[in-house]
Structures are given as C-alpha cells and as structure tokens.
C-alpha cells in the first residue's frame, strides 16, 4: 500500500524558515522522481519543486532561490527547506512523484504571517 506522510509545517513569521519532510512507503523510492506541490485556499494545486532519481532539481519561479528540495533514499524521504518565507507561501504542502499519480497524503499546513 502506497503511503505518503508529510510533516514539518506550522505557523511562521514572514522571513522565517521551515523544513518539510515526506516519508514514502509502498514504493521503490529510489526509482521515483519526487516533487513538492502546494494548494492555497481557493486555488488549484501547483508544483513547487522537483528532484529526479539522479538528484537533478527544478523549482517554480516563485520559490527559486528560497526553497531547496533534497532526498534521502536510505530513509525513503524527500525534504523541502523553505527560507525567506512570504505570506503568499501559505498553503497545504504535499509530496508526490513527478506525475502526481501516487495517492495523495494529508499534506502539511504552512502558514506565514505578515
């Protein structure tokens, strides 16, 4: 059974930092490119950052230079280090593979106050 469990969200002031984690089970993690997605209230889910099997990373323009995605295949976990947070980063953050076709987890809420 495939399961994605996100954690690490919280309430932070603008300019602050958070580190999100996503633990995956039920998949051969090292064979999956992974991504972080987010969904703000009233908006569609959007792709934030991706990391390939080989470790190549890509970022949406709105997080470039502020967020860093990484992975630990030994722990079946993908991370998102978020620095210089802005109120517009407020959303529920999810992880999934690059196709977004794994069952979605519950996400982790990130709230950035101004």
């Amino acid at each position: 059974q495939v399961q994605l469990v996100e954690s690490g969200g919280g309430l932070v002031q603008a300019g602050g930092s958070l580190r999100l984690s996503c633990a995956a089970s039920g998949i051969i993690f090292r064979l999956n490119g992974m991504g972080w997605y987010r969904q703000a209230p009233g908006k569609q889910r959007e792709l934030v950052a991706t990391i390939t099997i080989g470790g190549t990373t890509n970022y949406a323009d709105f997080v470039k230079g502020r967020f860093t995605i990484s992975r630990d295949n030994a722990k079946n976990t993908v991370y998102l280090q978020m620095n210089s947070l802005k109120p517009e980063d407020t959303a529920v953050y999810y992880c999934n593979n690059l196709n977004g076709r794994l069952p979605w987890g519950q996400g982790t809420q990130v709230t950035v106050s101004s």
Side-chain angles (χ1 to χ4, degrees):
Q1 182 180 356
V2 178
Q3 192 172 19
L4 301 170
V5 179
E6 300 91 350
S7 62
L11 173 64
V12 64
Q13 288 188 332
S17 299
L18 285 172
R19 188 192 192 207
L20 306 184
S21 300
C22 170
S25 59
I27 62 171
I28 304 175
F29 183 78
R30 68 181 187 278
L31 298 183
N32 278 266
M34 296 297 294
W36 280 97
Y37 303 75
R38 71 185 187 186
Q39 187 167 20
K43 295 187 177 181
Q44 289 192 332
R45 189 173 290 162
E46 61 185 356
L47 183 62
V48 174
T50 61
I51 185 166
T52 67
I53 296 170
T56 300
T57 58
N58 275 290
Y59 300 91
D61 287 344
F62 50 79
V63 303
K64 275 183 182 176
R66 300 189 297 123
F67 291 11
T68 302
I69 188 171
S70 61
R71 65 188 297 157
D72 185 337
N73 289 340
K75 295 182 178 180
N76 288 359
T77 300
V78 60
Y79 303 97
L80 187 68
Q81 177 66 44
M82 306 188 296
N83 298 328
S84 301
L85 282 161
K86 304 176 180 179
E88 51 264 45
D89 294 320
T90 294
V92 179
Y93 284 72
Y94 304 85
C95 71
N96 210 303
N97 67 5
L98 297 184
N99 295 322
R101 291 179 180 174
L102 298 177
W104 293 93
Q106 82 288 349
T108 186
Q109 175 70 49
V110 172
T111 303
V112 184
S113 63
S114 57

